[in-house]
Amino acid sequence: MKILVTGGAGFIGSNFIRYMLKQHPDYKIINLDKLTYAGNLENLKEVEDNPNYSFVKGDICNDKAVEGICEKGIDAIINFAAETHVDRSITDPQAFIKTDIFGAQTLLEAVNKYKIKKYIQVSTDEVYGSINDGSFKETDFLDPSSPYSASKAGADLLVLAYKRTFDTPVIITRCSNNYGPSQYPEKLIPLFTTNAMEDKELPIYGKGENVRDWIYVEDHCSAIDSILHKGEIGEIYNVGADQEKTNLEVTEAILKAVDKPKSLIKFVKDRPGHDLRYAIDSSKLQKLGWKPKYDFEKGMELTVEWYQKNEDWWRKIKSGEYLKYYKKQYGRR
Ligand code: NAD
Ligand code: DAU
């Protein structure tokens, strides 16, 4: 199978490429990534010499870049490429609308033009909005709260409309909060883990009562692998691990793991439009035979260990050195 992975230099995309090349050594993977601040080719060092892996620097909004790959023959596209950080979507919404919606539409056009057999849109549980009790099913309506989740919801609707109008072979996945190796240190777990290691404050928004369902990134990768092979065209699959924690619980687990005092916690002004709780029902996906392998305790042990062993990776990002290097190497703005 020949797969176009977009956004493969980011956190989940790079974990997915490494995972897939191990699981399916005969598959070919082409990674199309714009290398925004979040894209990092160091995440792919392990596979860069693998003859079944290749990298193309390009924007999913650029139809020529996308078509240049698709015209050579692709069996499936898995779209990870997106602007992904909720806080950034509050200060710069436009970048999210461009990549997350227009980018998806550009890929859908290529799927139609080159008759690609499968398009997987990697979406998020945030499209459902917040839920006080129970959990969302795939049939629930969308009620996004941030420009990020609204952009992802917009893309989901477009993907479903392409199915209905053009019979485009699409599948949507909606996963909960991922954590694990090589997550950019702007998201809660890597930010707080590395801040604690540096004896810096951990800024908890509001009272730290917000709840997220945490999934170890490898479990998300195995879910997409299952969906790629066994998922039904036109369907949506929630991907969750049933590991709900408040942000305060997550923070305390991090401090314990790195042996730092609770005095590093600082309660700060809340995020505008901050969703209180995310929860999804993944039973539809489990019927395909998938189940998560890691509980929160094991996943956190592996994650903290990774950040402890890879200080060079995150220190370069946090000090700005990494951006300077990539600007020189790849001519980024
Ligand atoms: P990330 O921010 O770590 O990586 C995004 C990648 O996309 C980067 O490599 C970046 O360079 C690339 N990119 C951005 N704009 C692009 C463009 N226009 N063209 C080509 N490449 C572009 O993101 P992530 O956390 O790995 O998330 C990957 C996907 O999974 C996203 O679609 C996100 O919405 C979804 N998702 C993330 C989570 C999570 O907890 N992180 C949970 C559910 C779903
Ligand atoms: O639910 C899936 C989503 O999870 C993905 O679609 C997004 O791409 C991903 O960024 C993530 O969104 P969140 O907003 O839930 O993740 P984040 O790590 O930014 O925040 C997790 C929780 O921690 C949230 O309630 C806000 C809080 N938080 C976050 C940061 C960065 C803090 O209290 N302080 C912080 O400094």
Side-chain angles (χ1 to χ4, degrees), residues 33 40 89 105 113 123 142 146 161 191 219 225 250:
D33 198 296
N40 186 343
S89 82
Q105 189 263 340
K113 186 167 174 182
S123 186
L142 306 185
S146 70
L191 178 72
D219 282 329
D225 188 9
V250 171

Side-chain angles (χ1 to χ4, degrees), residues 10-12 33-34 36 39 59-60 80 84 99 123 148 152 178:
F11 163 49
I12 306 172
D33 198 296
K34 185 179 171 185
T36 67
D59 189 332
I60 58 162
F80 291 92
T84 61
T99 288
S123 186
Y148 162 68
K152 295 294 289 186
N178 286 225

Side-chain angles (χ1 to χ4, degrees), residues 134-277:
S135 54
F136 287 118
K137 285 183 105 62
E138 290 83 352
T139 43
D140 281 314
F141 70 88
L142 306 185
D143 189 18
S145 303
S146 70
Y148 162 68
S149 49
S151 304
K152 295 294 289 186
D156 281 15
L157 295 178
L158 204 52
V159 167
L160 295 172
Y162 265 67
K163 170 75 182 84
R164 220 177 276 175
T165 308
F166 308 110
D167 205 22
T168 311
V170 302
I171 298 179
I172 294 175
T173 66
R174 293 186 180 143
C175 190
S176 61
N177 281 65
N178 286 225
Y179 65 103
S182 54
Q183 186 170 27
Y184 197 85
E186 64 184 352
K187 308 282 165 61
L188 180 76
I189 289 182
L191 178 72
F192 281 18
T193 304
T194 57
N195 274 12
M197 286 166 70
E198 296 184 287
D199 294 305
K200 286 185 180 159
E201 281 171 350
L202 312 187
I204 297 189
Y205 300 154
K207 294 183 183 148
E209 290 167 341
N210 306 68
V211 173
R212 299 289 182 265
D213 165 21
W214 292 96
I215 182 168
Y216 188 62
V217 63
E218 190 186 309
D219 282 329
H220 187 186
C221 296
S222 65
I224 295 177
D225 188 9
S226 292
I227 291 164
L228 174 69
H229 293 98
K230 300 186 211 151
E232 259 183 66
I233 296 295
E235 293 298 317
I236 301 169
Y237 295 93
N238 287 341
V239 186
D242 291 327
Q243 299 289 304
E244 287 187 36
K245 304 277 170 216
T246 65
N247 291 339
L248 197 53
E249 285 170 335
V250 171
T251 306
E252 285 171 355
I254 291 170
L255 288 170
K256 195 167 165 219
V258 297
D259 195 22
K260 296 286 177 165
K262 285 189 186 170
S263 56
L264 286 179
I265 294 176
K266 188 176 182 203
F267 291 96
V268 300
K269 194 165 164 279
D270 210 351
R271 171 188 278 175
H274 196 174
D275 285 326
L276 182 61
R277 176 173 173 262

